[in-house]
Amino acid sequence: MLKEAILHNPTQPDAYACTKELLHIRLRTKKEDVTSVTLHFGDPYDWQEERWQSTTKAMSKVGHDDLFDYWLIEVAPPFRRMRYAFLLEDATESLFYCEKGFYDEVLDDNGYFFCFPFLNPVDSYNVPAWVKDTVWYQIFPERFANGDHSLNPKHTLEWNSTDPTPANFFGGDLQGVIDHLDYLAELGINGLYFTPLFTATSNHKYDTIDYLDIDPQFGDKETFRHLVKACHKRGIRVMLDAVFNHSGFYFPQWQDVVENGESSRYKDWFYVHEFPLQFEPRPNYDVFAFTPNMPKLNTEHPEVKEYLLEVGRYWVREFDIDGWRLDVANEVDHAFWREFRNEVKSIKPDVYILGEIWHNSINWLRGEQFDAVMNYPFQTNLLDLFSRKRLSPLTFQEKMTSVWKDYPQPVNDVLFNLVGSHDTPRILTECNEDKDMVKAIFTLLLTSPGSPCLYYGDEIGLTGGMDPGCRKCMPWDDAEQDTELKALIQQLIQLRHSQPLFANEGELRWLYDSNIVAFTKSNATQSVLVAVNPGASSFELTLPDDAYTAVGPDGGMTLAQGTLICPAKSFGLFHAKLERTE
């Protein structure tokens, strides 16, 4: 066995309290190097006749990537305390692995073992349970629907009359969303994520002027209150977008700094390197990217901290929102996010806190900051498999294993899975308008673990490149919509809602096939199979169980006598009842 590949850290995501009673323990080994792993564990103080009382339990190999195998066990620690170690075996040798290193024999001195000191209930992962059952719909308010023309900004253009630019306006507003809530409910949506609604000068509103008011282009607070209540009446949750990393140029406190320079009482609200202020060619104060009109906020400053914490509290307390999506979340200090979580969850314990971070985010996902992050690696892997042709089906499955092994299981259940957003090209454009490819992508999005999100208009075939092209007006004439694609997505959402194994229930196992992407999700009595062929050739796959029957939309795959026939660019969804054995 290759010792250099064996790894376990007694912290997240390798060891953590998944509930108030259970621990998850993970181990990494070299790919195809170890045939079995057994956990040796017991309470550190449980000694009888001068012998430590321990027990053993086999671990399960839950997946692999291109280099490593990953093993997992769920275990109830005796008396909520646990010392533990691993016995690894292959065909010729065994190896005992513990905190002090590797040994040729099983040790009985638990001082050498890994330690989980105590399972304090407050330390267990406490993510909002409702998120696992939510299908989100992201709305860019300026482009979704114009429901109140009296609110139109100056120089508003006729709806959908031209392509979007960084500066033009079409008059989308909150009333437009209210007018189309039945459309969203019929689609199966039960969560709305709005890009910023707060007062700002731009069409995207990420340059906030007033965090405590609705932009008058969109309506007012009473309209928003009505929207939230109308959503809740339909079983739809509401999540707002907040930019706490930076303000807009016309944020009053920044304007005071611009006008008064070093004598401004707000100068320490920001990170100004020197005075006078310099805007070009690069600002001499910290900003988002190098954008001079987005000065970075000093979240360590007591007044800034309290101002922003009140923003978080206010919209939860006064309007009963259900979630916060936090822009540029990884550039704000961890101490602020810990306080933010405590403040908003003290008002509404099951509020969803979602960070916009594009890379590995375990440092924000240890249970005391965010509930989840936007799962952009999921989108990258899908595009690398389908449109960019950078991954084979096998390497895609290995890459996805790498994504999920980065986080504890409760986090994976509520990761915000997406294939498009206001920051990326439209999925149909990414796929060179190959609709079969898009259907297969949505099949994986809407059957994978996590909490999936549709970007407005993707369900009816909107196209568009990178911002601003991805921010077109939503066409509401059926003649301008791909109703076939919408019907497919509606069926997939209904299947996810009606059969939990197509959502977050059950144990996932990749088939790790080199020609198609396929996984099963199983519990004690049932199993489902999801299969997608992203290639241009037909393949056949022999299944270990021939009891599966097709369910959901017809994606072109057929199953006969245990053989799955997979035409090019096809997909299939299947269900089986399992015979229970005593």
Side-chain angles (χ1 to χ4, degrees):
M1 282 177 272
L2 187 68
K3 293 180 181 178
E4 296 93 321
I6 300 169
L7 181 65
H8 171 79
N9 287 312
T11 59
Q12 303 101 324
D14 288 352
Y16 60 91
C18 59
T19 71
K20 294 179 180 180
E21 295 84 25
L22 297 172
L23 302 181
H24 277 178
I25 305 294
R26 292 182 181 177
L27 177 73
R28 188 192 79 183
T29 63
K30 181 179 181 293
K31 183 178 177 182
E32 299 179 354
D33 189 40
V34 174
T35 55
S36 70
V37 178
T38 304
L39 187 75
H40 287 239
F41 65 100
D43 185 276
Y45 305 106
D46 189 6
W47 292 75
Q48 296 180 23
E49 297 179 355
E50 299 184 352
R51 185 175 183 84
W52 183 50
Q53 303 301 299
S54 64
T55 188
T56 62
K57 189 174 180 180
M59 298 184 70
S60 298
K61 185 164 72 173
V62 294
H64 66 77
D65 56 25
D66 58 333
L67 297 176
F68 304 109
D69 287 336
Y70 299 97
W71 304 77
L72 174 68
I73 191 170
E74 185 175 271
V75 60
F79 308 103
R80 294 197 282 173
R81 304 170 297 232
M82 197 168 83
R83 296 287 175 90
Y84 62 97
F86 307 92
L87 180 64
L88 298 86
E89 297 178 280
D90 64 14
T92 60
E93 66 173 325
S94 62
L95 196 63
F96 195 67
Y97 173 48
C98 54
E99 187 176 73
K100 299 293 190 288
F102 296 96
Y103 296 86
D104 293 330
E105 60 182 3
V106 175
L107 304 181
D108 57 8
D109 183 348
N110 66 34
Y112 286 71
F113 284 39
F114 292 103
C115 177
F116 197 97
F118 197 84
L119 202 169
N120 294 289
V122 72
D123 293 332
S124 62
Y125 275 88
N126 186 24
V127 299
W130 57 268
V131 179
K132 296 191 295 183
D133 302 317
T134 300
V135 177
W136 296 94
Y137 191 90
Q138 180 187 352
I139 291 179
F140 191 86
E142 219 286 316
R143 305 292 159 75
F144 185 68
N146 189 336
D148 185 349
H149 292 270
S150 70
L151 302 176
N152 287 357
K154 189 177 181 180
H155 305 306
T156 295
L157 302 172
E158 183 181 348
W159 192 257
N160 218 9
S161 59
T162 188
D163 289 335
T165 73
N168 59 11
F169 291 85
F170 294 90
D173 53 37
L174 296 181
Q175 186 59 50
V177 178
I178 294 170
D179 293 343
H180 293 92
L181 285 179
D182 288 342
Y183 166 88
L184 297 170
E186 183 180 348
L187 188 62
I189 299 301
N190 56 350
L192 293 186
Y193 153 43
F194 290 94
T195 54
L197 299 176
F198 309 136
T199 307
T201 58
S202 65
N203 55 32
H204 56 72
K205 310 301 179 189
Y206 282 97
D207 53 338
T208 313
I209 295 174
D210 187 349
Y211 291 81
L212 294 169
D213 205 359
I214 299 293
D215 191 289
Q217 172 193 347
F218 296 149
D220 57 23
K221 290 179 180 178
E222 287 310 306
T223 307
F224 179 66
R225 192 186 308 278
H226 175 55
L227 168 61
V228 174
K229 289 182 178 179
C231 285
H232 288 172
K233 184 177 179 180
R234 293 169 171 82
I236 298 173
R237 306 276 183 157
V238 176
M239 179 165 63
L240 296 187
D241 200 331
V243 191
F244 293 162
N245 176 69
H246 55 269
S247 73
F249 190 80
Y250 295 102
F251 183 55
Q253 290 83 345
W254 177 247
Q255 281 296 295
D256 192 276
V257 177
V258 171
E259 293 172 10
N260 298 308
E262 196 164 7
S263 63
S264 171
R265 71 171 298 267
Y266 297 106
K267 66 178 181 179
D268 293 331
W269 279 46
F270 308 90
Y271 294 94
V272 181
H273 304 159
E274 60 185 356
F275 289 96
L277 295 178
Q278 174 182 303
F279 305 109
E280 299 295 343
R282 285 188 176 178
N284 61 352
Y285 50 93
D286 289 349
V287 295
F288 170 68
F290 295 109
T291 309
N293 63 350
M294 292 184 174
K296 182 174 175 60
L297 289 160
N298 178 7
T299 49
E300 296 180 54
H301 189 286
E303 291 181 359
V304 177
K305 183 185 297 185
E306 178 53 32
Y307 176 89
L308 296 178
L309 291 176
E310 175 56 18
V311 173
R313 295 187 294 254
Y314 177 76
W315 295 97
V316 177
R317 181 181 67 238
E318 302 298 329
F319 296 89
D320 197 26
I321 67 166
D322 304 288
W324 279 112
R325 184 266 190 186
L326 304 167
D327 192 62
V328 201
N330 55 338
E331 295 186 24
V332 177
D333 66 274
H334 291 281
F336 175 81
W337 289 134
R338 293 186 184 101
E339 289 194 49
F340 180 84
R341 180 185 184 89
N342 289 337
E343 292 295 314
V344 298
K345 288 194 179 265
S346 69
I347 300 169
K348 191 171 187 177
D350 69 346
V351 71
Y352 180 47
I353 302 177
L354 174 70
E356 185 218 8
I357 304 178
W358 293 54
H359 306 281
N360 185 299
S361 308
I362 186 61
N363 285 340
W364 290 266
L365 297 172
R366 300 188 186 278
E368 90 288 23
Q369 294 179 64
F370 306 153
D371 295 313
V373 292
M374 299 182 76
N375 194 2
Y376 275 105
F378 179 83
Q379 179 200 38
T380 298
N381 290 337
L382 282 172
L383 294 176
D384 283 350
L385 170 67
F386 285 96
S387 62
R388 299 166 186 163
K389 307 299 183 186
R390 294 173 181 166
L391 298 179
S392 69
L394 177 59
T395 54
F396 170 81
Q397 293 165 94
E398 291 175 335
K399 290 281 189 183
M400 288 308 304
T401 298
S402 292
V403 172
W404 289 330
K405 62 85 178 170
D406 282 341
Y407 304 127
Q409 187 58 49
V411 172
N412 285 329
D413 288 343
V414 296
L415 279 178
F416 193 84
N417 295 338
L418 69 163
V419 297
S421 75
H422 64 289
D423 286 325
T424 66
R426 289 278 178 180
I427 188 62
L428 188 57
T429 297
E430 285 274 22
C431 294
N432 298 312
E433 301 195 21
D434 185 330
K435 193 164 74 170
D436 289 334
M437 192 179 292
V438 170
K439 289 179 178 179
I441 286 174
F442 275 116
T443 298
L444 288 175
L445 171 69
L446 291 167
T447 57
S448 291
S451 192
C453 180
L454 306 179
Y455 182 43
Y456 83 96
D458 277 354
E459 78 278 10
I460 49 91
L462 268 190
T463 58
M466 187 63 83
D467 167 28
C470 58
R471 302 176 181 183
K472 290 180 180 178
C473 293
M474 178 78 170
W476 289 107
D477 186 338
D478 287 349
E480 299 179 73
Q481 297 186 356
D482 187 331
T483 54
E484 180 196 17
L485 180 61
K486 183 174 73 172
L488 169 74
I489 290 173
Q490 185 178 41
Q491 285 182 278
L492 290 168
I493 293 173
Q494 289 173 345
L495 188 65
R496 184 179 180 91
H497 287 323
S498 63
Q499 298 200 30
L501 284 176
F502 284 111
N504 284 294
E505 188 178 311
E507 295 184 8
L508 183 144
R509 293 290 184 271
W510 292 106
L511 272 61
Y512 290 110
D513 189 81
S514 59
N515 296 313
I516 70 167
V517 172
F519 64 83
T520 61
K521 294 282 296 305
S522 306
N523 59 23
T525 60
Q526 300 177 75
S527 179
V528 298
L529 167 69
V530 178
V532 170
N533 179 5
S537 302
S538 180
F539 294 100
E540 294 185 0
L541 179 67
T542 301
L543 299 179
D545 191 325
D546 62 0
Y548 287 100
T549 57
V551 294
D554 181 7
M557 289 187 180
T558 56
L559 180 60
Q561 297 180 335
T563 298
L564 185 63
I565 301 169
C566 312
K569 298 180 183 178
S570 62
F571 66 87
L573 303 166
F574 305 89
H575 175 266
K577 292 184 177 180
L578 303 179
E579 292 186 8
R580 300 187 67 175
T581 57
E582 299 298 332

